[in-house]
Amino acid sequence: MRIPCVNVNFEGIKVACVGDSLTYGTTLLNRKVESYPARLAKLLGKNFDVVNLGFAGCALNRHSAKCYFNLPALSLLEQYSPNYVIILLGTNDARQKNFTNEADFSNAYGSIINSIINLKSKPQIIAMTSPMAYVDTNLREFDFSHENLLKIVKIQKEILSEYQIPYIDLYNITQGKTSLYSEDMLHFNSKGAKFLAFKTYSAVKEFESREK
């Protein structure tokens, strides 16, 4: 497993992108350049440092085979002391092997949000709901459930609204945008990663303009 390096001594604005393979950049030919965090870093410029804390295959459900809470991401976040945390987690929870029930996902999603809120650096959180997925479970290796995905997105919106955390409704804005997806129709292609980068860039710059 790749353990990301975090630049704890960076004196500018730190941005941590928390997520799964959609953040990591799975299926991209050159994820170090094409992933949305890499593109976001380029858009934001030299006064910003962006770290990719995407771990492929991870889910939030504590009963899942690869649980995000068992990975080094939270300790890395604490070390890094980010000013912004962008979170995109939940898609892998829609897989049948990871999904148990709505209550388990709700508890797990609430826990990750609370963990970020309670970081010493008190970062501004920008969330993204899980995007639409076009994978066909009859043809693909993924045990993916669109029914589970709908439940997950509903829970994400409820919890984010409760905590008054701004979010990008990826599920809604990726409807019909199959051109953003790689061949497996679950992960983003280079165009899709660029799309995410511009969405998150706009969100960060909006907050930055308020601080001036």
Side-chain angles (χ1 to χ4, degrees):
M1 178 175 60
R2 178 193 66 91
I3 306 299
C5 294
V6 295
N7 187 358
V8 296
N9 297 318
F10 186 75
E11 295 182 355
I13 299 168
K14 300 175 184 177
V15 182
C17 298
V18 169
D20 49 33
S21 55
L22 299 178
T23 297
Y24 178 77
T26 297
T27 74
L28 297 174
L29 290 177
N30 186 354
R31 54 165 294 277
K32 291 184 178 180
V33 174
E34 295 180 276
S35 69
Y36 101 76
R39 292 178 182 274
L40 176 61
K42 189 171 182 180
L43 288 169
L44 289 172
K46 63 181 181 180
N47 293 327
F48 290 79
D49 183 69
V50 181
V51 63
N52 187 335
L53 296 182
F55 290 85
C58 73
L60 282 171
N61 191 332
R62 295 182 186 275
H63 302 285
S64 60
K66 189 176 181 181
C67 178
Y68 201 80
F69 293 100
N70 296 332
L71 301 174
L74 293 177
S75 61
L76 287 169
L77 273 178
E78 193 66 63
Q79 294 172 37
Y80 187 56
S81 295
N83 301 99
Y84 290 92
V85 172
I86 302 173
I87 180 170
L88 174 54
L89 275 170
T91 297
N92 283 320
D93 288 271
R95 298 182 68 177
Q96 296 286 22
K97 71 174 186 177
N98 293 326
F99 191 84
T100 48
N101 54 61
E102 291 166 87
D104 283 342
F105 179 76
S106 181
N107 288 335
Y109 197 74
S111 292
I112 194 71
I113 295 297
N114 267 304
S115 295
I116 297 170
I117 288 172
N118 291 323
L119 289 171
K120 290 179 182 178
S121 62
K122 300 299 178 186
Q124 172 62 55
I125 303 172
I126 299 169
M128 289 186 274
T129 69
S130 294
M132 179 59 183
Y134 296 92
V135 59
D136 186 337
T137 53
N138 294 319
L139 299 175
R140 304 290 183 178
E141 63 186 32
F142 303 105
D143 57 338
F144 194 84
S145 166
H146 290 87
E147 181 181 353
N148 290 344
L149 181 62
L150 279 171
K151 294 174 182 176
I152 283 165
V153 171
K154 181 174 181 289
I155 291 167
Q156 288 171 332
K157 291 180 179 180
E158 288 172 351
I159 291 176
L160 294 169
S161 297
E162 178 185 347
Y163 283 95
Q164 297 184 317
I165 292 172
Y167 66 86
I168 299 165
D169 188 353
L170 272 191
Y171 185 81
N172 183 50
I173 63 177
T174 53
Q175 295 294 320
K177 292 186 170 65
T178 55
S179 64
L180 300 180
Y181 290 77
S182 61
E183 186 180 354
D184 66 16
M185 299 307 288
L186 179 65
H187 295 94
F188 289 111
N189 58 21
S190 187
K191 182 180 177 181
K194 186 176 182 180
F195 178 81
L196 286 193
F198 275 105
K199 290 294 180 183
T200 51
Y201 169 77
S202 297
V204 171
K205 294 304 287 185
E206 182 179 345
F207 282 108
E208 285 296 294
S209 65
R210 294 178 190 176
E211 296 296 317
K212 293 180 179 178

